Amino acid sequence: MERVAANTRRTAWDAVVIGAGAAGLMCAAVAGQRGAHVLLIDHAAQPGEKIRISGGGRCNFTNRHSRPENFLSANPQFCRSPLARYTPADFIALVKRYRIAFHEKHKGQLFCDESSQKIIDMLFAECDAGRVTRWAPCKVERIARAGTRFELATDAGPLDAKRVVIATGGLSIPKIGASDFGLRVARQFDLAVVEPRPALVPLTFDARNWQPFAALTGIALEVRVRCGDGSFDEDLLFTHRGLSGPAILQISSYWTPGAKVVLDLAPAHAGEALASVLIEQKSSRRQLDTVLATLLPKRLAEGWLALRGVPADRRLAEMTDRSFAAVG
């Protein structure tokens, strides 16, 4: 995105879109292709950074099974119309038109075979097809009503617009440019605001409390996680600071201070205590760690027994009900 020389700038626009992330790029492209004169502004010299880092650099760009019930809102009906008018299949068709190779990783999640840059390039190409003008880096200093239009003061000069779209995202990752700009503008124009709180984030713990689990860092497994009204069967990842992975990112949207997060590390045996699963094999001459490793990743099984203070080399046939209970 490049600045346009001052004497060639248009100052009156049908729409000014502030924020050149996924939403802003898509909005600007569609509006431009429908005939509007559109200016797309971003305060970063390199827009699309959140797209770039998403999906571990491969951009998890949609989910085949996305439905209205997958979205949290004070008004559950809010997203029904847009999701019906533009479906995952529509975006997949766009990706295919640009011959971007992709694959389904897990439960409908689609990722690029190559870099996330492919999606960024596609969205910029769509903006070009709509003759969208792009300014970056460009900072918006002020937005004000002027009758039926808007006046914008920017560090690249004044602007006049029939419509202004705020697509600046939330507060999630300040290191890549996230800010409270959208919230400030919403409050300026007396729009209703739901107070923000962390969502789609890892759960971190005090270092001292997490220290016993630090050795489990890097272990990943599918779990069932529950909190409040949320329940997901997804992958969990142990990190050096706490828990992450899709299961935790999803359930974090349902967590509030003081709420319990319940993890079932062996969802195939949902509702059964680990001890009761092991007791079923009580007559076995196999060692405890060997049997437990059929239910959990081997390193997690060993770590779990160490945390519970149970000898890993105990044979099931030699264990008492009390020692089974000690396993958990």
Side-chain angles (χ1 to χ4, degrees), residues 38-117:
V38 181
L39 172 65
L40 177 61
I41 294 175
D42 200 279
H43 66 173
Q46 188 67 39
E49 192 61 22
K50 196 170 182 181
I51 303 173
R52 194 183 318 280
I53 68 172
S54 67
R58 293 186 184 273
C59 189
N60 48 327
F61 56 84
T62 194
N63 189 303
R64 293 187 189 275
H65 310 309
S66 183
R67 300 287 186 274
E69 53 268 25
N70 299 132
F71 295 81
L72 294 177
S73 174
N75 176 6
Q77 306 304 316
F78 177 78
C79 62
R80 288 192 178 277
S81 177
L83 287 176
R85 295 170 67 185
Y86 194 88
T87 70
D90 293 318
F91 193 78
I92 292 169
L94 179 62
V95 171
K96 287 181 176 179
R97 180 152 61 85
Y98 279 81
R99 298 184 179 182
I100 299 173
F102 62 88
H103 60 278
E104 183 173 332
K105 185 175 181 180
H106 184 59
K107 296 184 178 180
Q109 301 166 5
L110 302 186
F111 290 72
C112 294
D113 287 355
E114 299 179 46
S115 167
S116 298
Q117 187 63 43

Side-chain angles (χ1 to χ4, degrees), residues 11 17 20 62 108 128 132 138 181 185 194-195 199 217:
T11 58
V17 179
T62 194
D128 291 342
V132 174
C138 179
F181 179 85
V185 172
V194 175
E195 286 303 316
T217 296

Side-chain angles (χ1 to χ4, degrees), residues 285-307:
R285 296 291 301 169
R286 299 165 73 191
Q287 289 188 177
L288 178 58
D289 59 347
T290 302
V291 176
L292 196 57
T294 65
L295 304 173
L296 303 171
K298 187 174 187 295
R299 193 154 66 89
L300 177 57
E302 293 171 347
W304 181 261
L305 292 173
L307 288 169

